[in-house]
Amino acid sequence: MEDLLIKIFCDTDDFCIRLNNYLKHHLVTDNRLKEPNLFNISRMMTLSEVITITIYFHHSSYRNFKHYYKEFVCKRLSGYFTSLVSYTRFVELMQQALIPLILYTQKFRLGKTTGISFIDSTTLDVCDNRRIHSHKVFKDIAQRGKSSTGWFYGFKLHIVVNEIGEILSFFLTPGDTDDRDSKVIDILTKDLFGKLFGDKGYLSQPLFKKLYDRGIKLITKIKKNMKNKLIDIEEKLLLRKRALIETINDFLKNTCQIEHTRHRSFTNFLTNVVAGIAAYSFLPSKPSLKFSKSILVATL
């Protein structure tokens, strides 16, 4: 695990150096400062240290960030981070590091399109349904929605992955957003090409035509009252392996802990989700599909 910690730090530190150099040449700063303090990050801890600790939490066995920081980071990782601040101060630094964390994840931790992609959404509950009316943290932000498992209150995380388990794009929306929403689909499929596999929730003739005109073939199962259309054997086999993306959603929610109901601010919620996605990209073994003599074997 320590090797993983070093790997995350080196990667984030390279990004922070490039980001800092870019901002120094494009932002107006106070010439009296030899080293402008960008993003208001503490003079004691560097931006890369804050991002590293935030991401590494999602690889730990801790379910509570406060316990993780006080018991694990401050005691066991103090040799790696020699200028640790108090827990309260670190939570403030996490919020200030949100924008760099999003940039880092979007630009450096997403996979590359291979021509075979899977699309799906998963629910992110922010409270129990019985507490919706008394919930205040996400009031007017989160919304009620309905999934295959029933009603929920919170958000939807929309993701697109390739056949080797890499996340290609992601987008966060309120819980009542339709999976076929044109704005969401446009953002998720911006850099895609080839074949895109989804469940029946993406079944739409206008959506199919719109993506087909852009060089993307949307393939979904059909409803019982619809006429069947012929697809080749490879597409049929890949459609059956759509469970790959559901396994990735399970990894994100249970292993990388992007879902819990203890958030105290929307910024904290965003930081947790984005850091969880970044942490997933560092997993040494991801769910994937293996191709062998035109036969697809899932190695989940």
Side-chain angles (χ1 to χ4, degrees), residues 233-280:
I233 186 64
E234 181 180 313
E235 293 173 347
K236 189 173 183 179
L237 289 172
L238 283 169
L239 187 58
R240 290 179 178 177
K241 301 303 180 183
R242 203 194 61 80
L244 168 71
I245 194 170
E246 296 177 353
T247 303
I248 293 173
N249 282 331
D250 182 71
F251 265 67
L252 289 172
K253 296 175 76 170
N254 296 303
T255 302
C256 297
Q257 306 178 50
I258 66 170
E259 180 187 43
H260 66 76
T261 59
R262 302 183 302 276
H263 297 293
R264 293 297 175 263
S265 70
F266 182 62
T267 304
N268 178 267
F269 167 76
L270 288 178
T271 302
N272 184 71
V273 172
V274 178
I277 293 173
Y280 171 83

Side-chain angles (χ1 to χ4, degrees), residues 80-139:
Y80 294 96
F81 306 99
T82 57
S83 301
L84 291 171
V85 297
S86 66
Y87 168 74
T88 303
R89 177 56 179 155
F90 188 84
V91 171
E92 295 175 354
L93 297 181
M94 284 175 59
Q95 296 180 353
Q96 294 170 11
L98 175 58
I99 294 177
L101 176 61
I102 293 174
L103 291 174
Y104 169 67
T105 305
Q106 286 277 12
K107 297 297 182 181
F108 297 97
R109 299 316 307 173
L110 298 183
K112 296 182 179 180
T113 304
T114 61
I116 298 175
S117 309
F118 300 85
I119 187 171
D120 196 14
S121 66
T122 186
T123 62
L124 298 179
D125 296 22
V126 296
C127 74
D128 187 272
N129 286 339
R130 292 170 293 182
R131 297 187 176 91
I132 293 177
H133 296 291
S134 61
H135 189 77
K136 297 180 180 180
V137 176
F138 297 100
K139 186 178 181 180

Side-chain angles (χ1 to χ4, degrees), residues 10 31 43 66 89 107 125 128 138-139 168 175 195 202 210 218-219 223 243 245 278-279 290:
C10 291
N31 294 327
R43 293 287 183 179
K66 184 176 182 179
R89 177 56 179 155
K107 297 297 182 181
D125 296 22
D128 187 272
F138 297 100
K139 186 178 181 180
L168 304 179
K195 299 174 182 178
Y202 296 92
K210 181 179 181 179
L218 177 62
I219 302 170
K223 296 180 180 179
I245 194 170
K290 187 184 298 181

Side-chain angles (χ1 to χ4, degrees), residues 209-225:
K209 186 178 184 305
K210 181 179 181 179
L211 292 176
Y212 192 80
D213 292 341
R214 292 174 44 202
I216 304 171
K217 185 178 181 181
L218 177 62
I219 302 170
T220 65
K221 291 184 178 181
I222 61 173
K223 296 180 180 179
K224 294 181 179 180
N225 60 347

Side-chain angles (χ1 to χ4, degrees), residues 14-242:
D14 289 341
F15 161 76
C16 292
I17 292 172
R18 295 173 62 180
L19 177 64
N20 198 51
N21 290 335
Y22 176 84
L23 294 179
K24 282 182 179 179
H25 291 88
H26 291 81
L27 291 183
V28 177
T29 58
D30 191 340
N31 294 327
R32 294 173 298 178
L33 298 177
K34 294 181 179 180
E35 295 183 3
N37 190 18
L38 302 174
F39 292 106
N40 296 320
I41 293 298
S42 171
R43 293 287 183 179
M44 295 182 63
M45 295 191 69
T46 64
L47 176 61
S48 55
E49 288 178 326
V50 175
I51 295 178
T52 298
I53 293 174
T54 304
I55 293 176
Y56 195 67
F57 163 69
H58 298 272
H59 285 284
S60 70
S61 58
Y62 290 85
R63 302 293 294 181
N64 183 287
F65 190 86
K66 184 176 182 179
H67 190 214
Y68 156 79
Y69 185 78
K70 288 189 171 183
E71 298 297 324
F72 184 73
V73 176
C74 292
K75 294 181 179 180
R76 297 182 57 182
L77 300 183
S78 58
Y80 294 96
F81 306 99
T82 57
S83 301
L84 291 171
V85 297
S86 66
Y87 168 74
T88 303
R89 177 56 179 155
F90 188 84
V91 171
E92 295 175 354
L93 297 181
M94 284 175 59
Q95 296 180 353
Q96 294 170 11
L98 175 58
I99 294 177
L101 176 61
I102 293 174
L103 291 174
Y104 169 67
T105 305
Q106 286 277 12
K107 297 297 182 181
F108 297 97
R109 299 316 307 173
L110 298 183
K112 296 182 179 180
T113 304
T114 61
I116 298 175
S117 309
F118 300 85
I119 187 171
D120 196 14
S121 66
T122 186
T123 62
L124 298 179
D125 296 22
V126 296
C127 74
D128 187 272
N129 286 339
R130 292 170 293 182
R131 297 187 176 91
I132 293 177
H133 296 291
S134 61
H135 189 77
K136 297 180 180 180
V137 176
F138 297 100
K139 186 178 181 180
D140 300 326
I141 303 176
Q143 297 294 334
R144 276 187 172 183
K146 189 175 184 180
S147 67
S148 58
T149 57
W151 289 94
F152 72 98
Y153 180 72
F155 301 89
K156 275 186 178 181
L157 177 65
H158 307 260
I159 64 171
V160 175
V161 304
N162 58 22
E163 78 279 7
I164 57 177
E166 295 176 334
I167 296 177
L168 304 179
S169 59
F170 64 92
F171 195 71
L172 195 66
T173 65
D176 60 349
T177 304
D178 192 332
D179 289 347
R180 297 166 294 185
D181 185 278
S182 59
K183 293 181 180 179
V184 175
I185 296 297
D186 288 344
I187 293 173
L188 290 174
T189 61
K190 179 181 178 182
D191 299 317
L192 294 188
F193 63 86
K195 299 174 182 178
L196 178 64
F197 299 86
D199 58 19
K200 293 180 182 179
Y202 296 92
L203 193 60
S204 168
Q205 185 64 28
L207 177 59
F208 174 86
K209 186 178 184 305
K210 181 179 181 179
L211 292 176
Y212 192 80
D213 292 341
R214 292 174 44 202
I216 304 171
K217 185 178 181 181
L218 177 62
I219 302 170
T220 65
K221 291 184 178 181
I222 61 173
K223 296 180 180 179
K224 294 181 179 180
N225 60 347
M226 298 177 65
K227 294 182 179 179
N228 197 6
K229 292 185 177 181
L230 295 177
I231 58 176
D232 59 46
I233 186 64
E234 181 180 313
E235 293 173 347
K236 189 173 183 179
L237 289 172
L238 283 169
L239 187 58
R240 290 179 178 177
K241 301 303 180 183
R242 203 194 61 80

